[in-house]
């Protein structure tokens, strides 16, 4: 079974430029998460999707960040414009969404460097 | 506010020794406590998890000890190996498990 796939793995951009990250969750997983991981820190939730609906985006900086999950499968996270402080690893995770099945499975992440 | 506090920040253990990482929480609504292992350049991978209805769970060399009254849980790695060198994160979630709160991580180095 394929795991969570993310691309690109690395991205270097200049500040004020836009950037987008893509995630393909584990097949059949209805719940998808985007996390931000700063160096030396644990992941912090940005947004959670149940199928195509964003059910928790309270931590997403909506002035510059946006996300979508069309058709309830793949998801894209966008930053526009990027700032120096956005340099971090962006992790995507998925879970089955079945009540009682709490396990979240993470992708390898996209390391963003903003110069 | 850090929902889950993790210690130590870093740990060095001799091969064959026991590695112990501790976490504490305040929110009694938490009902699922996983541990994740992360290697450089990789995403976190689920290692082992426990629910509050048991005090201990063991899977191979990895054991979670859970103290509900103290609101603490710990990861024990028996017979630590150099391949265990990684960063370990504890986490906690409540209700349907959708919101995970992660600790700040422990960098484990196992010396051959």
């Amino acid at each position: 079974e394929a795991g969570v796939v993310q691309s690109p793995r690395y991205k270097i951009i200049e500040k004020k430029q836009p950037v987008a990250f893509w995630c393909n969750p584990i097949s059949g997983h209805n719940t998808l998460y985007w996390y931000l991981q700063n160096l030396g820190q644990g992941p912090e939730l940005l947004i959670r999707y149940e199928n195509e609906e964003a059910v928790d985006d309270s931590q997403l900086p909506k002035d510059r960040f946006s996300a979508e999950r069309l058709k309830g499968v793949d998801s894209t996270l966008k930053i526009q414009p990027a700032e120096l402080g956005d340099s971090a690893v962006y992790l995507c995770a998925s879970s089955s969404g079945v009540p009682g099945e709490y396990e979240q499975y993470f992708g390898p992440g996209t390391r963003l460097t903003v110069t | 506010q850090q929902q889950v506090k993790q210690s130590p920040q870093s740990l060095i253990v001799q091969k064959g020794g026991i590695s112990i990482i501790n976490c504490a929480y305040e929110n009694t609504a938490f009902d699922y406590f996983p541990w994740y292992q992360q290697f450089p350049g990789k995403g976190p991978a689920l290692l082992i998890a426990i629910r509050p209805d048991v005090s201990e769970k063991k899977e191979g060399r990895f054991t979670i000890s859970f103290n509900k009254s103290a609101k603490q849980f710990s990861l024990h790695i028996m017979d630590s190996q150099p391949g265990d060198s990684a960063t370990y994160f504890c986490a906690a979630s409540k209700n349907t498990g959708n919101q995970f709160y992660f600790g700040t991580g422990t960098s484990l180095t196992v010396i051959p």
Side-chain angles (χ1 to χ4, degrees):
Chain A
E1 179 182 277
V4 177
V5 179
Q6 291 188 247
S7 70
R9 292 295 316 277
Y10 306 92
K11 190 73 176 179
I12 301 174
I13 62 171
E14 294 182 348
K15 62 181 180 181
K16 301 184 181 180
Q17 294 301 305
V19 64
F21 315 124
W22 175 81
C23 173
N24 179 248
I26 291 174
S27 178
H29 279 193
N30 298 326
T31 307
L32 184 145
Y33 313 77
W34 282 103
Y35 286 90
L36 167 70
Q37 186 175 28
N38 287 305
L39 187 65
Q41 298 294 316
E44 299 174 29
L45 182 69
L46 288 172
I47 189 169
R48 172 170 64 91
Y49 281 93
E50 295 286 350
N51 297 303
E52 65 275 10
E53 181 182 0
V55 295
D56 184 356
D57 62 356
S58 58
Q59 302 302 312
L60 189 72
K62 299 180 183 64
D63 57 335
R64 298 183 300 107
F65 286 66
S66 65
E68 61 182 12
R69 192 184 183 196
L70 301 176
K71 300 182 180 179
V73 182
D74 295 359
S75 178
T76 302
L77 178 68
K78 298 178 181 178
I79 308 175
Q80 183 171 9
E83 298 179 352
L84 294 176
D86 296 332
S87 295
V89 174
Y90 292 83
L91 294 165
C92 179
S94 69
S95 63
S96 67
V98 174
E101 292 186 4
Y102 291 176
E103 294 81 3
Q104 292 188 18
Y105 299 89
F106 284 82
T110 296
R111 180 175 296 277
L112 173 67
T113 302
V114 182
T115 63
Chain B
Q1 181 184 4
Q2 192 72 29
Q3 296 270 356
V4 179
K5 297 181 180 180
Q6 183 172 346
S7 64
Q9 184 176 355
S10 62
L11 181 63
I12 300 174
V13 174
Q14 293 277 356
K15 178 182 176 182
I18 302 174
S19 303
I20 302 174
I21 305 171
N22 301 298
C23 284
Y25 64 97
E26 287 297 324
N27 193 333
T28 56
F30 288 148
D31 60 0
Y32 177 70
F33 303 89
W35 284 91
Y36 280 81
Q37 179 188 56
Q38 186 174 28
F39 293 103
K42 305 291 186 181
L46 179 64
L47 195 59
I48 186 173
I50 197 168
R51 306 282 179 95
D53 53 342
V54 296
S55 60
E56 185 175 283
K57 183 175 182 180
K58 183 177 181 179
E59 291 185 1
R61 297 185 293 109
F62 301 91
T63 299
I64 298 179
S65 295
F66 185 81
N67 186 328
K68 189 174 182 178
S69 61
K71 292 184 285 186
Q72 296 176 349
F73 59 109
S74 59
L75 176 69
H76 296 235
I77 305 175
M78 312 300 288
D79 187 25
S80 298
Q81 299 296 312
D84 297 331
S85 297
T87 300
Y88 292 81
F89 293 97
C90 63
S93 71
K94 57 184 176 181
N95 300 330
T96 58
N98 289 316
Q99 174 71 56
F100 274 31
Y101 298 92
F102 284 85
T104 51
T106 296
S107 177
L108 171 66
T109 301
V110 181
I111 301 173

